[in-house]
Amino acid sequence: MDLVSKYQGYVGRVFGNENSGSSEDRYCDNSYIERLLDRISNGVLAEDRRAAMAELQSAVPESQAAQLAFGAMGFPILLSVLKEERDDLELVRGALETLLGALTPVAHSRGPKNEVQPALMNSDLLSREVDSISLLLSLLSDEDFYVRYFTIQLLTALLTNSPSRLQEAILTIPRGITRLMDMLMDREVIRNEALLLLTYLTREAEEIQKIVVFEGAFEKIFSIVKEEGGSEGGVVVQDCLELLNNLLRNNASNQVLLRETMGLDPLMSILRGTTYKFTQQKTINILSVLETIHLLMIRGREADPGKEKNSLTNKTVLVQKKVLDHLLMLGVENQWAPVPVRCMALQCIGDLIAGHPQNRDSLASKVLGEEPHVEPALNSILRIILRTSSVQEFVSADYVFKSFCEKNPDGQTMLASTLIPQPQLMTHAPFEDDVHMSFGSMLLHGLTMSESNGDLETCCRAASVLSHVLKDNMECKERVLKIKLEAPMPSLGGPEPLMHRMVKYLALSSSMNGNDGKSSGSGNAYVQPFILKLLVIWLSSCPNAVQYFLDSRPHLTYLLELVSNPAMTVCVRGLAAVLLGECVIFNKSNDSGRDALSIADAVSQKIGLTSYFLKFDEMQKSLLFTSAKPTLSRKQLTRSSAASMAEIEDVDENEAIDLKNDHAMLVSTFDSQFVNFLKHLEGEIREKTVEIYSHPKSQVAVVPAELEQRNGEANGDYIKRLKTFVEKQCLEIQDLLSRNATLAEDLARTGGDGSSELERRPSAGAERVQVEALRRDLHEASQRLEMLKAEKTKIESEASMYRNLAGKMEADLKSLSDAYNSLEQTNFHLEKEVKAPSSGGAVPIPDVETLKAEAREEAQKESEAELNDLFVCLGQEQSKVERLSARLMELGEDVEKLLEDIGDDPGLPEDEED
């Protein structure tokens, strides 16, 4: 109760101030409020209590002082009446009306703006009372109409002043939401109040949204909309659609439930029949339906594939329900539709085709109008871009082409293929004659309209569309490079490339600005950024486009002047600096004066690298960059904002509104995608600058005289002198590289990382050179290490071979050692045997002579036996010889001669002797 005591202290200070200046002394008397509360609390007669309640009921809403006095002491008393006096309807009604008056701000209150607001303090006090919310919710079931009506009004006032506390309390009360949902089936007045309460209650509370949907909110909402007449209905339809949008906003589960239960046909039925008459309330209702369609198509974050899939499914179902036809009718064909409706419809078309190839193809195939005046829908949307007088309508139509061309190379190529220059007569034709033109012809017509009327606004709008066609598509960039436009007058020369014409318009827009940099004509505040954006996208990753741009020498000169011109805006100078950087990083030319190094030198000489890189930092810190958004910003449509959105006029004449529209055009150009693209380019430009100034030129124009051999100089002396010269030149080159690298890196960081970064790394260039030298030393050391590894492997193989040989020799040596040991043992045993007889004397010694005689006799016997066998063989052979000799003699042969020729038989053994 510390808050109540502080509140009572504040009330005492208010009533203690004699100079409060209130004209209602009776109501400002603290004792008067206290007496009334005492009569209500302690009165005996019912009539007296009712009279006191009536006086309190009329006193509290009249002044802030009475509200303060009541808040200090009255809530417990009136809540007690609501609990215990339920049978006394008059007293209960008076208590509810008094509580409502205490929570409603006094309309005619006076005082400083920073003064405490009693209504807010009373709302906080009431929400802190124990069981106050549950008591009020229980009163919704009362049979009395006024009790229910004042109760729901009181809850609405409490929610308006203290939303978070009431939301928490309702979630903790069983069937709290259910009781509120039941009020939608009550009488019309109570239903409307309950609808408004639920609208406030579901704005930020996701848990309450789920419970409301579970209680059948979709069926009840569309039932009320149908009962009220759809888009022709009043503010009740607006409240229903706002509640529907609260339930669908960023809630994929509720969207799936709606799609699979009720379907999307009820939304289409609201859009049907909205053709001619548009009242303010009807406009608001249609805007609410279009916001519902937009919420169904919002793509989720990349890290949330569930929401992304749900969004694609919703887009597919919406196209199947013919929503594209309704949107084209509201945004393109219907000339009676208010500007906000046309803008919202075009934005929904852009959402419908974004990231959905089938829907993009459906839009590309759509034709509008009636025979014979029919044309593709994309042509009609392009005409809106070129003709509309409303900046909001241009931004919305441009968003359609951005969504169509994004990640759609086939669609970009299709549009670029129609870019065919028209004859000179068609180029200067008025817009009314462009009905029969192709898309590309109409776009080129818009790009060159300034030739006849000097107004570059149409040119910059067409340039925005062309930038979408060229983005990230090399084929389209190369195709458009070949487009040549005829000169405005034959005397001014032959055809010139489209790129050169755009640079000429950029220079023309600069000349239309005064010395102070402000535009002297309408639309020129954003002409230069739009054309520069086109050129930046065109030159990105396209060396041929860079070459085309640099083919005209004045282009580079003008760009250098544009960057250094202080009269230009921060945005223009920054984009021109980016364009110069692209001429460096995407430059593949080797021609002197147009290569990357020459461009960098020109920037360094004409602008200075420090000043050049500061242009990037100034642009990054500008409001356009810091407030960049990923898509078109849309305000949540509520009762308070709907009326203002429905009252946008077609033509804005007020100067302040013109400035606001210029800002809206620039914001549409500098979305988060383009801003991130520029940041990426900036990093590449800084790195390329460092690289250029860290490496020497590839060619040497002058050969020093020291390289020539002198007359009479020996070859050895000449070689030594050359070596000394080369060493000196290497040292000088290393020093220059170090200085250039340090300069380039320091300038690249100027304004980006701050001076502290420069102080932390004062010798970054020298470190770069040292790192290069260390890298070369490391490479040489690695080569030497590989050689040492090879030698080590060879030595290890040889060592293994010798190790095996040593093992074998060791094995042989061990074998010999074992044999020697065996011989030693044998010898030892023999010696032992020899020494044994002499020591023992027991073993008899045999007679050697006897043994010899026995052996000789045995050998003689064996010899005699062998001789006997030999003699027998010889006898047999002799008989064979004799028979053979006789036979030879019979045949007439000389046997003696044959025997002489044969000689002695060498095979005969000689006599052996012992």
Side-chain angles (χ1 to χ4, degrees), residues 334-349:
N334 195 335
Q335 300 301 318
W336 293 273
V339 174
V341 172
R342 299 203 302 265
C343 294
M344 192 67 178
L346 287 169
Q347 292 173 17
C348 287
I349 294 174

Side-chain angles (χ1 to χ4, degrees), residues 443-444 446-451 456 458-467 470 480 483 485 496-510 527-528 530-535 538-539 549 555 558 579:
L443 185 61
L444 292 175
L447 288 171
T448 57
M449 276 295 293
S450 60
E451 295 290 348
L456 292 173
T458 304
C459 172
C460 80
R461 292 183 178 188
S464 178
V465 177
L466 183 59
S467 66
L470 300 182
V480 179
I483 296 177
L485 302 176
E496 63 177 338
L498 175 62
M499 176 181 285
H500 293 187
R501 182 72 63 87
M502 298 311 299
V503 178
K504 184 176 74 173
Y505 291 158
L506 179 63
L508 180 62
S509 64
S510 301
V527 168
Q528 290 173 300
F530 271 63
I531 298 178
L532 285 171
K533 178 184 177 180
L534 169 63
L535 294 175
W538 201 343
L539 268 61
F549 182 81
H555 290 176
Y558 168 70
L579 195 59

Side-chain angles (χ1 to χ4, degrees), residues 430-651:
F431 264 133
E432 289 72 13
D433 297 338
D434 64 359
V435 179
H436 303 291
M437 290 185 182
S438 65
F439 174 87
S441 300
M442 193 188 309
L443 185 61
L444 292 175
H445 187 204
L447 288 171
T448 57
M449 276 295 293
S450 60
E451 295 290 348
S452 57
N453 57 16
D455 185 10
L456 292 173
E457 182 174 356
T458 304
C459 172
C460 80
R461 292 183 178 188
S464 178
V465 177
L466 183 59
S467 66
H468 299 318
V469 176
L470 300 182
K471 185 179 179 182
D472 300 328
N473 194 314
M474 189 62 66
E475 180 181 353
C476 292
K477 293 179 181 180
E478 297 286 351
R479 180 191 294 268
V480 179
L481 277 178
K482 301 175 183 177
I483 296 177
K484 294 184 181 296
L485 302 176
E486 296 182 6
M489 298 176 61
S491 59
L492 297 179
E496 63 177 338
L498 175 62
M499 176 181 285
H500 293 187
R501 182 72 63 87
M502 298 311 299
V503 178
K504 184 176 74 173
Y505 291 158
L506 179 63
L508 180 62
S509 64
S510 301
S511 64
M512 295 173 66
N513 292 340
N515 295 330
D516 56 353
K518 296 182 179 180
S519 174
S520 59
S522 63
N524 288 305
Y526 47 81
V527 168
Q528 290 173 300
F530 271 63
I531 298 178
L532 285 171
K533 178 184 177 180
L534 169 63
L535 294 175
V536 167
I537 291 176
W538 201 343
L539 268 61
S540 175
S541 303
C542 187
N544 288 339
V546 174
Q547 190 68 29
Y548 263 72
F549 182 81
L550 296 176
D551 280 344
S552 178
R553 183 65 183 178
H555 290 176
L556 179 61
T557 304
Y558 168 70
L559 210 55
L560 292 170
E561 294 176 355
L562 196 62
V563 174
S564 57
N565 188 355
M568 295 293 107
T569 63
V570 172
C571 172
V572 171
R573 294 199 301 267
L575 288 175
V578 173
L579 195 59
L580 270 177
E582 287 183 322
C583 294
V584 175
I585 60 177
F586 302 121
N587 193 326
K588 305 299 181 183
S589 175
N590 295 322
D591 298 341
S592 178
R594 291 193 298 181
D595 58 336
L597 182 59
S598 300
I599 304 300
D601 287 341
V603 172
S604 177
Q605 295 172 7
K606 301 292 184 180
I607 304 174
L609 291 180
T610 302
S611 177
Y612 173 71
F613 286 119
L614 281 176
K615 301 299 184 292
F616 291 99
D617 301 321
E618 293 172 357
M619 182 173 61
Q620 297 286 356
K621 295 175 183 178
S622 64
L623 180 62
L624 288 174
F625 271 67
T626 56
S627 61
K629 295 179 176 59
T631 56
L632 290 179
S633 58
R634 299 179 176 92
K635 292 183 179 180
Q636 183 174 336
L637 197 63
T638 61
R639 271 197 175 190
S640 58
S641 63
S644 61
M645 290 184 63
E647 293 175 353
I648 299 177
E649 298 296 334
D650 287 0
V651 181

Side-chain angles (χ1 to χ4, degrees), residues 76 196 241 264 306 370 404 458 466 522 558 566 577 592 599 619 646 684 714-715 746 751 757 808 817 842 854 859 905:
L196 186 62
L241 294 174
L264 303 182
E370 298 179 358
F404 181 82
T458 304
L466 183 59
S522 63
Y558 168 70
S592 178
I599 304 300
M619 182 173 61
E684 291 187 356
N715 290 336
D746 289 350
E757 178 69 19
K808 183 179 180 181
S817 176
E854 293 177 354
D905 188 359

